[in-house]
Amino acid sequence: MNKIISILLISILILFILRVESYPTYGGSNSASIRREDRHSFRAPFLQSGTGILYWDIEGSTIVNDDFIRLTSDQKSLHGSIWNTEPMEQPWWEVVFEFRVHGSGRIGADGLALWLVDKKEGNSQDFSIYGSKNLWKGLAVIFDTFDNDQNGDHPLISVFFNDGTKFYETAKDGSNMKLGSCSSRYRNDKHNAKSRIRYYHGLLSVEIDPNGSGIFEKCIQDVRLDIPTRYTFGVSAATGGLTDNHDVYSFDTFSLDASLSNQNTNNYNNVQFERERLEKQRLEYEQQQQQAQQQQQQQQQQQQQQQQQQQNQQNQQNNQDKEYQEFLQYKAQQQAQQQQQNNYQQTQNDLLEKLNEIQQEQQQQQQQQTQPPQQQQTQPPKLQEEIKNLSEKEQVGVLVKKVDSLVEAIHSLHVILDDPEYKKSFDGLRDQVNVISQALVSLSQGSLKVKDFDSFRTTYDQKQSQFIKDFYDFKSTMQDLKATINNRFNNQDNDVTKSIESVNMNLNSLRKLVEASTRDTQKISSILNSNADELANTIQKHSSFGFWTYFLFVQAIFIFGFVFWRKYKDDNNKKLI
């Protein structure tokens, strides 16, 4: 009987030992399939390796003590963290970790967080979310001690899951992506707090023991999530303007359904394999799409090149057609220029004929010019022979008649000047000048050498000298005539004297007109000389167009001046007669 009792006691003791070894947790599951994962756990006393605790790395302001790990001290703007170096390969798990948040102030900040994330994602230099990075990829259970949104529900425990694209808004305590939360007074208690986080068959639950009594309170229940394997555990904390000590005493990780873990692992591996296969197919499909797009782009480029070649050929053809049209236009212009040159030559010949005619008329006028002086020279002898054999009274009567006829001649001069026929002759002269001006335009591309201009200038100077000489001869004749009349009428009676005085007055006015005409002629001569010099220089610098312009212009002025002088001389001769 005693032996039987002893055997039963030993059996009970063995079962108790086995139960304790299989599940050394607080309030854990009664299932025999739970197993502690040492590579994902730590507990005091801490055995430090060269880079920190075995299987764990520390970052930031983290300090490892003998019986706890201090992530941040009670100072402003600190951040610290501890990260598992081994990825979690079990699909279902449970974590129990012991911590304490305490400080000297009535209100503390900011809090700490438990992470199961992909460490490769996000910015490794970002510590803005409780000592870790924003835009993380994975699970976060945050123990927040500062009430940013002023809801009055802190200290707060919240669950978040991010795919790497959601931005955690600190000012709103992450309300834009929160999956569940509860309030608990775990800060500044004299005892350590404990939290149990369980993920089993896609459901997440969080329990809290705020004062270490061993009794866990339900906080968040049955949050459905799809958390991949091979993510990394970690714990981080941070302080801001307000401060707290954030200490971690233990972190125990357990795998659930250990007896079925291989099967579950195989299933998960199959799922992962299927995912990888689908991902591979997707990548292949994307590559095919990219290749098709590249081929399409190449075809488009080839089409564009062909279109460009066709356009170039079309442009080349158009350029050739344009060049041919330009050649035809050039040929037509050459023909037109040839025709125009022929017209210019014909016009030049016509103009030369006109000039010859003008020169002939000029020679005739010069011949006529020589006749009046001869008549004037012969007239006094005729008058002397006429009155030679008369008595003194008869001589006076004849002279009176001559004076009267002279007065009538002077009056007839004014009548002649107002005669329309005389005006018509001047209009004809003006028309000739216009014709000559039009001929100048047609001779714009003509040609004449400088030596021809020199010969023309010499001829013009000779004619001008002859013109001036004729004017002075005329003046001298008039003076002689005046002296003769004065000598013959000195002894006549008062009536004859008055008549002679009136004649003298007329002669004086005529003399003044002649002198004014002489001055004008000299002035015109000087102007023509200066213009001739300037035109000569211009012609030498430019083209023959200037020469013909100068030549015809001077000829027109010369003809006009000569005609005017000739008429003026004829009228004066008529007056004397």
Side-chain angles (χ1 to χ4, degrees):
M1 188 67 179
N2 291 330
K3 291 181 179 179
I4 293 171
I5 294 171
S6 299
I7 291 170
L8 290 173
L9 291 174
I10 292 170
S11 299
I12 292 169
L13 180 61
I14 291 171
L15 291 173
F16 180 77
I17 292 171
L18 290 173
R19 181 177 177 84
V20 172
E21 287 294 327
S22 64
Y23 186 48
T25 63
Y26 299 90
S29 173
N30 293 325
S31 175
S33 61
I34 295 177
R35 183 180 63 187
R36 185 177 187 271
E37 299 292 338
D38 292 334
R39 293 186 303 168
H40 307 292
S41 305
F42 60 81
R43 179 181 288 274
F46 297 107
L47 300 177
Q48 299 188 30
S49 64
T51 57
I53 301 172
L54 184 63
Y55 301 119
W56 296 82
D57 288 337
I58 60 174
E59 296 178 0
S61 60
T62 303
I63 300 174
V64 179
N65 297 308
D66 293 338
D67 55 351
F68 67 90
I69 299 171
R70 175 156 290 175
L71 300 177
T72 67
S73 58
D74 194 5
Q75 297 179 7
K76 294 181 179 181
S77 302
L78 295 178
H79 63 85
S81 59
I82 180 170
W83 293 92
N84 194 196
T85 59
E86 299 293 327
M88 182 61 181
E89 298 179 352
Q90 302 300 325
W92 320 123
W93 47 264
E94 183 178 280
V95 172
V96 178
F97 80 103
E98 183 179 355
F99 65 95
R100 187 181 180 192
V101 180
H102 59 98
S104 58
R106 184 179 64 86
I107 301 174
D110 285 331
L112 56 81
L114 182 145
W115 306 89
L116 180 60
V117 296
D118 186 356
K119 283 280 288 182
K120 295 178 293 184
E121 295 290 332
N123 184 7
S124 61
Q125 301 299 320
D126 182 14
F127 307 101
S128 60
I129 308 302
Y130 303 94
S132 186
K133 54 194 171 186
N134 206 332
L135 300 175
W136 71 90
K137 187 175 183 180
L139 175 68
V141 181
I142 296 177
F143 299 81
D144 190 359
T145 58
F146 184 76
D147 191 2
N148 289 289
D149 56 6
Q150 301 296 319
N151 289 332
D153 54 356
H154 286 61
L156 190 68
I157 303 172
S158 302
V159 173
F160 302 90
F161 190 82
N162 199 346
D163 59 358
T165 61
K166 300 176 182 178
F167 186 81
Y168 181 92
E169 297 182 10
T170 304
K172 298 181 180 180
D173 290 328
S175 60
N176 59 314
M177 52 189 297
K178 189 182 297 183
L179 301 178
S181 64
C182 70
S183 298
S184 179
R185 297 185 178 278
Y186 53 81
R187 179 184 178 273
N188 252 355
D189 198 280
K190 295 180 181 180
H191 303 282
N192 299 338
K194 296 178 183 178
S195 178
R196 183 163 57 201
I197 302 157
R198 181 185 178 90
Y199 179 65
Y200 187 65
H201 292 297
L203 297 176
L204 181 75
S205 61
V206 178
E207 298 177 352
I208 185 68
D209 178 7
N211 52 17
S213 62
I215 300 173
F216 286 89
E217 302 173 356
K218 292 181 179 180
C219 177
I220 302 169
Q221 294 294 318
D222 298 334
V223 178
R224 184 166 294 279
L225 295 173
D226 184 11
I227 303 176
T229 59
R230 299 192 65 80
Y231 277 11
T232 302
F233 281 114
V235 182
S236 66
T239 62
L242 300 177
T243 61
D244 263 338
N245 295 307
H246 298 88
D247 302 332
V248 179
Y249 287 84
S250 65
F251 190 97
D252 295 317
T253 303
F254 302 92
S255 59
L256 305 181
D257 290 343
S259 61
L260 302 175
S261 61
N262 292 330
Q263 181 180 355
N264 293 332
T265 302
N266 292 330
N267 293 334
Y268 181 77
N269 290 334
N270 291 333
V271 172
Q272 288 293 103
F273 177 77
E274 186 67 19
R275 288 181 179 176
E276 292 176 356
R277 187 180 66 81
L278 294 175
E279 184 69 18
K280 185 176 180 180
Q281 290 180 356
R282 184 181 67 81
L283 293 175
E284 290 177 355
Y285 176 75
E286 290 179 353
Q287 290 178 357
Q288 291 176 359
Q289 291 292 329
Q290 291 178 357
Q291 291 177 357
Q293 291 178 358
Q294 291 177 357
Q295 292 178 357
Q296 186 176 1
Q297 291 177 357
Q298 290 177 357
Q299 292 177 358
Q300 292 178 356
Q301 290 178 357
Q302 291 177 358
Q303 292 177 358
Q304 291 177 357
Q305 290 177 357
Q306 291 177 358
Q307 292 177 358
Q308 186 67 28
Q309 290 177 357
Q310 292 177 359
Q311 185 68 26
N312 292 334
Q313 292 176 358
Q314 185 66 28
N315 293 334
Q316 189 174 5
Q317 184 66 29
N318 293 334
N319 291 332
Q320 291 177 356
D321 295 340
K322 186 177 180 180
E323 291 176 355
Y324 180 71
Q325 293 294 332
E326 290 178 353
F327 172 74
L328 293 178
Q329 292 178 0
Y330 175 75
K331 189 173 181 181
Q333 289 177 359
Q334 290 292 330
Q335 293 176 357
Q337 289 178 359
Q338 185 66 31
Q339 184 65 29
Q340 191 175 9
Q341 288 179 358
N342 295 332
N343 295 334
Y344 289 160
Q345 187 66 32
Q346 183 65 31
T347 305
Q348 184 177 2
N349 294 332
D350 295 341
L351 183 60
L352 291 174
E353 292 178 358
K354 290 181 179 180
L355 291 175
N356 291 329
E357 293 176 358
I358 292 170
Q359 289 178 356
Q360 291 176 1
E361 292 178 357
Q362 183 178 0
Q363 291 175 0
Q364 292 176 1
Q365 290 175 358
Q366 287 178 356
Q367 292 175 0
Q368 293 175 2
Q369 180 181 0
T370 57
Q371 295 176 2
Q374 293 176 359
Q375 293 177 1
Q376 292 174 4
Q377 291 175 1
T378 57
Q379 185 175 1
K382 289 181 180 180
L383 183 61
Q384 291 177 0
E385 290 177 357
E386 186 177 352
I387 63 173
K388 181 177 181 182
N389 298 320
L390 297 177
S391 62
E392 193 172 271
K393 287 184 178 182
E394 291 176 351
Q395 290 179 357
V396 171
V398 172
L399 290 175
V400 169
K401 290 179 181 180
K402 293 293 183 181
V403 171
D404 292 335
S405 64
L406 181 62
V407 172
E408 291 176 358
I410 292 172
H411 288 292
S412 64
L413 177 62
H414 293 286
V415 174
I416 291 172
L417 290 175
D418 295 331
D419 188 3
E421 294 295 326
Y422 191 78
K423 291 182 179 179
K424 187 176 180 180
S425 63
F426 277 94
D427 294 334
L429 180 61
R430 183 182 61 188
D431 294 335
Q432 290 181 1
V433 173
N434 292 331
V435 172
I436 292 171
S437 299
Q438 292 177 357
L440 286 174
V441 177
S442 64
L443 289 175
S444 60
Q445 294 184 354
S447 61
L448 191 64
K449 296 181 180 180
V450 177
K451 63 181 182 179
D452 296 333
F453 169 75
D454 293 335
S455 62
F456 162 73
R457 184 176 179 182
T458 302
T459 304
Y460 170 75
D461 292 337
Q462 292 175 358
K463 292 180 179 181
Q464 185 180 13
S465 299
Q466 184 66 31
F467 178 76
I468 294 171
K469 183 179 179 181
D470 293 336
F471 264 92
Y472 280 105
D473 293 337
F474 174 73
K475 182 179 178 181
S476 177
T477 302
M478 294 300 295
Q479 289 177 354
D480 294 336
L481 180 61
K482 179 183 177 183
T484 302
I485 293 172
N486 289 330
N487 291 327
R488 289 187 175 275
F489 290 96
N490 285 330
N491 299 321
Q492 301 300 324
D493 56 357
N494 293 331
D495 294 333
V496 175
T497 302
K498 291 180 179 179
S499 299
I500 292 174
E501 287 178 357
S502 63
V503 172
N504 287 332
M505 292 175 65
N506 292 328
L507 290 175
N508 289 330
S509 61
L510 182 62
R511 180 177 58 80
K512 291 179 180 180
L513 290 174
V514 172
E515 290 176 354
S517 177
T518 303
R519 289 194 299 270
D520 293 336
T521 303
Q522 293 177 353
K523 186 176 181 180
I524 291 171
S525 177
S526 62
I527 292 172
L528 289 176
N529 287 329
S530 62
N531 291 334
D533 294 333
E534 292 178 358
L535 289 173
N537 294 328
T538 304
I539 290 168
Q540 290 177 358
K541 291 181 180 178
H542 295 84
S543 64
S544 61
F545 173 78
F547 165 75
W548 283 108
T549 303
Y550 170 81
F551 174 79
L552 295 175
F553 178 75
V554 172
Q555 283 287 55
I557 293 174
F558 177 77
I559 292 169
F560 182 81
F562 180 80
V563 170
F564 179 80
W565 174 81
R566 178 67 180 173
K567 183 181 181 307
Y568 186 82
K569 187 173 182 181
D570 293 338
D571 292 340
N572 289 332
N573 291 333
K574 290 179 180 180
K575 290 179 183 180
L576 294 175
I577 293 170

